[in-house]
Coordinates of all heavy atoms in Angstrom, one line a residue:
Chain A
T334 N 115.1 137.2 126.2 CA 115.0 136.3 125.0 C 113.6 135.6 124.9 O 113.1 135.5 123.8 CB 116.1 135.3 125.0 OG1 116.0 134.6 126.3 CG2 117.5 135.9 124.9
A335 N 113.1 135.3 126.0 CA 111.8 134.5 125.9 C 110.8 135.0 127.0 O 110.5 134.3 127.9 CB 112.1 133.0 126.1
P336 N 110.4 136.3 126.9 CA 109.5 136.8 127.9 C 108.2 136.0 127.9 O 107.7 135.6 126.8 CB 109.3 138.2 127.5 CG 109.6 138.3 126.1 CD 110.7 137.3 125.8
E337 N 107.6 135.9 129.1 CA 106.4 135.1 129.2 C 105.2 136.0 128.9 O 104.2 135.5 128.3 CB 106.2 134.5 130.6 CG 107.1 133.3 130.8 CD 107.2 132.9 132.2 OE1 106.4 133.4 133.1 OE2 108.0 132.0 132.5
D338 N 105.2 137.2 129.3 CA 104.1 138.1 129.1 C 104.2 138.9 127.8 O 105.3 139.4 127.5 CB 104.0 139.1 130.3 CG 102.7 139.8 130.4 OD1 102.4 140.6 129.5 OD2 101.9 139.5 131.3
P339 N 103.2 138.9 127.0 CA 103.2 139.6 125.7 C 103.6 141.1 125.9 O 104.2 141.7 125.0 CB 101.8 139.5 125.1 CG 100.9 139.0 126.2 CD 101.8 138.3 127.2
R340 N 103.2 141.7 127.0 CA 103.5 143.1 127.2 C 105.0 143.4 127.4 O 105.6 144.3 126.9 CB 102.8 143.7 128.4 CG 101.3 143.8 128.2 CD 100.6 144.1 129.5 NE 100.7 143.0 130.5 CZ 100.2 143.1 131.8 NH1 99.6 144.2 132.2 NH2 100.4 142.1 132.6
T341 N 105.7 142.4 128.1 CA 107.1 142.5 128.2 C 107.8 142.4 126.8 O 108.7 143.2 126.5 CB 107.7 141.3 129.1 OG1 106.8 141.2 130.2 CG2 109.1 141.6 129.5
D342 N 107.3 141.5 126.0 CA 107.8 141.3 124.7 C 107.7 142.5 123.9 O 108.6 143.0 123.2 CB 107.1 140.1 124.0 CG 107.7 139.8 122.7 OD1 108.9 139.7 122.6 OD2 106.9 139.7 121.7
Q343 N 106.5 143.1 123.9 CA 106.3 144.4 123.2 C 107.2 145.5 123.7 O 107.7 146.2 122.8 CB 104.8 144.9 123.4 CG 103.8 144.0 122.6 CD 102.4 144.5 122.9 OE1 102.1 145.2 123.8 NE2 101.5 144.0 122.1
Y344 N 107.4 145.6 125.0 CA 108.3 146.7 125.5 C 109.7 146.5 125.1 O 110.4 147.4 124.6 CB 108.2 146.7 127.0 CG 109.0 147.8 127.6 CD1 108.7 149.2 127.4 CD2 110.2 147.5 128.4 CE1 109.4 150.2 127.9 CE2 110.9 148.6 128.9 CZ 110.6 149.9 128.7 OH 111.4 150.9 129.2
I345 N 110.2 145.2 125.3 CA 111.7 145.1 125.0 C 112.0 145.1 123.5 O 113.1 145.3 123.1 CB 112.3 143.8 125.6 CG1 111.6 142.5 125.1 CG2 112.2 143.9 127.2 CD1 112.2 141.3 125.7
T346 N 111.0 144.8 122.7 CA 111.2 144.9 121.2 C 110.9 146.3 120.7 O 111.0 146.6 119.5 CB 110.4 143.9 120.4 OG1 109.0 144.1 120.8 CG2 110.8 142.5 120.7

Side-chain angles (χ1 to χ4, degrees):
Chain A
T334 54
E337 281 168 11
D338 195 291
R340 291 171 294 178
T341 315
D342 186 47
Q343 285 177 346
Y344 180 70
I345 60 176
T346 53

